[in-house]
Amino acid sequence: MKRLGRKGSLALGIMSGTSADGIDVALVHISGRVATLENFAAFPFPSRVREAILRLGEGRPVTTGEISQLNFLLGEIFADAALAACKKFRVTSSQIDVIGSHGQTVFHQGVRSQFCGRLVASTLQIGEPSVIAVRTGITTVGDFRPADMAAGGQGAPLVPFVDYMLYRHNRMGRAALNIGGIANVTVIPAGAKIEEVFAFDTGPGNMVIDALMKHFTQGQKPFDRNAEMAHRGKLLPNTLRQLLRDKYFAKAPPKTAGREQYGEKYVRSLLAHREALTGNPEDLVRTATILTARSILDAFHGFIAPRAKVAELIVSGGGARNPLLMGQIESGLHGVRVRDADDFGVSGDAKEAFAFAVLAYESLHKHPANVPGATGANKAVVLGKVCYAG
């Protein structure tokens, strides 16, 4: 079977994040412990589908029938994206050994709480992988998070396995910061074994900023391009102080966050703050941007610096293109070099899709790929559920 003229395997990774702004597809060549990004493409969701995802993710009233229908519909859409990507990359589906589909997270509660008389933690990613497998003819791995949770972990973050592969350095400690809807960080001490890696979600990334932009522009601007609105505003100091009192920020890792904490309900609460009621939209967007920066910096100084010496911070995700956000982060990290993930051969936009291609390959070969130091699991486990094409 032809594989771009090299030995090894080809895998596709499919990722849709908490912002539900589109579907990322990465083509990855894997040979042993070396993974190389071959190509990358992004596809938008149809507007009605994105609205349905966000409605479900926000916890608004829906029926079990709607959840089931959306699960299968997303399977079809992810399959379409995989086939469209193959066409764009000029590879055939028969050349692909495995697809790793993260699925669309619509609920995530990593910490156990009382439910029907038992302590239960749970997560739900939809986008039926059996549909993807049959439509594409490619073995598909999905549902990565539950195995880690069954082993006592929080089911997230899972990308640290790949961060370790990409960024480990014998003499230099590094941290990988991804600023998507939620911001998360992986810490890789100098010369670390994978057991020494730790990671956690710092809090909101772009989620609150994007929601405010959508609110103030009636949906015309889904994000603050180049921090244009934030640059025109002024900080609301009392509002920021109140926001930073959020208990999540003080909680020690491992910890995960999502739309449940920083979605629609959170933004409504922010809009009701006294300063917010008298301020203008630019002030609120600036304050939300500074909130993201401050929560990342506080996490770095409070939870990372005491455990590991970090010389470089490698940044990916949409937030890496926000100059106000990045300026705030750089100014708050003395002695730490801030670098773009693109410098390491996998673009920031592609990294999460790249990661799930790698994780699917590991699952197919029955290799454990969670990082207990990141998720809090009591052991390393094989992730995902394998769906065959026929």
Side-chain angles (χ1 to χ4, degrees):
M1 185 183 296
K2 181 184 176 185
R3 288 188 175 85
L4 303 186
R6 286 175 290 169
K7 294 180 179 179
S9 298
L10 283 180
L12 283 182
I14 302 175
M15 179 70 196
S16 172
T18 50
S19 297
D21 50 5
I23 305 162
D24 296 336
V25 184
L27 177 66
V28 182
H29 179 269
I30 304 170
S31 181
R33 306 305 291 174
V34 178
T36 307
L37 178 67
E38 298 288 342
N39 220 322
F40 172 74
F43 303 91
F45 277 119
S47 58
R48 289 178 64 186
V49 174
R50 183 171 189 264
E51 288 168 9
I53 292 168
L54 294 177
R55 187 168 64 250
L56 182 54
E58 294 285 3
R60 293 182 230 167
V62 295
T63 66
T64 52
E66 288 176 290
I67 298 170
S68 180
Q69 291 286 83
L70 187 57
N71 177 41
F72 274 69
L73 174 60
L74 286 177
E76 299 281 0
I77 291 172
F78 291 152
D80 290 345
L83 292 171
C86 285
K87 185 175 181 180
K88 185 173 183 177
F89 303 156
R90 297 184 179 180
V91 296
T92 64
S93 57
S94 63
Q95 291 176 269
I96 308 296
D97 292 279
V98 66
I99 292 174
S101 177
H102 172 268
Q104 180 65 53
T105 299
V106 294
F107 183 79
H108 184 82
Q109 182 179 302
V111 178
R112 296 192 301 169
S113 65
Q114 284 285 344
F115 181 74
C116 293
R118 294 281 294 270
L119 286 172
V120 178
S122 68
T123 190
L124 182 61
Q125 286 75 45
I126 60 174
E128 181 51 53
S130 293
V131 173
I132 301 171
V134 173
R135 295 290 180 269
T136 61
I138 303 167
T139 298
T140 299
V141 183
D143 227 7
F144 288 89
R145 300 191 184 277
D148 178 81
M149 295 180 75
Q154 296 193 21
L158 297 183
V159 174
F161 180 88
V162 175
D163 286 335
Y164 178 77
M165 177 189 292
L166 291 173
Y167 306 134
R168 181 189 179 277
H169 193 284
N170 280 335
R171 298 179 304 279
M172 183 190 304
R174 286 172 167 163
L177 173 68
N178 182 69
I179 311 174
I182 295 295
N184 55 74
V185 64
T186 302
V187 184
I188 310 156
K193 297 177 181 178
I194 198 162
E195 294 82 8
E196 298 170 300
V197 173
F198 63 99
F200 59 97
D201 291 345
T202 62
N206 306 312
M207 185 176 288
V208 178
I209 305 166
D210 293 352
L212 289 173
M213 289 298 296
K214 183 179 177 182
H215 172 78
F216 288 127
T217 66
Q218 289 76 51
Q220 295 302 304
K221 293 184 178 181
F223 64 96
D224 189 18
R225 186 182 298 276
N226 296 320
E228 291 171 0
M229 184 174 281
H231 277 308
R232 297 197 301 269
K234 64 179 188 297
L235 178 66
L236 302 175
N238 292 330
T239 300
L240 179 63
R241 255 192 307 274
Q242 290 180 53
L243 294 173
L244 287 170
R245 292 190 190 119
D246 187 340
K247 292 180 180 178
Y248 182 83
F249 300 137
K251 182 182 177 185
K255 57 181 180 176
T256 62
R259 194 167 290 280
E260 296 78 20
Q261 290 103 320
Y262 299 111
E264 184 180 34
K265 184 178 178 181
Y266 184 88
V267 173
R268 283 201 307 267
S269 174
L270 168 56
L271 290 167
H273 277 254
R274 182 177 297 178
E275 276 187 326
L277 293 171
T278 57
N280 59 43
E282 289 83 359
D283 297 342
L284 277 169
V285 173
R286 185 180 186 88
T287 301
T289 305
I290 303 299
L291 170 68
T292 291
R294 276 289 306 273
S295 59
I296 290 169
L297 290 170
D298 289 351
F300 191 94
H301 295 303
F303 301 124
I304 297 173
R307 293 179 60 181
K309 184 177 180 181
V310 172
E312 291 188 340
L313 180 69
I314 302 160
V315 187
S316 61
R321 294 189 291 273
N322 183 311
L324 175 61
L325 178 56
M326 292 307 303
Q328 291 285 318
I329 292 170
E330 289 192 54
S331 66
L333 292 177
H334 304 296
V336 178
R337 183 186 180 194
V338 177
R339 300 185 63 181
D340 194 300
D342 293 17
D343 297 343
F344 294 84
V346 178
S347 71
D349 290 339
K351 195 179 85 170
E352 288 193 296
F354 174 92
F356 282 93
V358 173
L359 292 176
Y361 175 88
E362 297 297 321
S363 300
L364 205 60
H365 292 81
K366 300 180 182 179
H367 297 157
N370 61 329
V371 178
T375 66
N378 53 44
K379 62 179 180 178
V381 293
V382 178
L383 302 175
K385 297 167 186 172
V386 182
C387 301
Y388 297 99

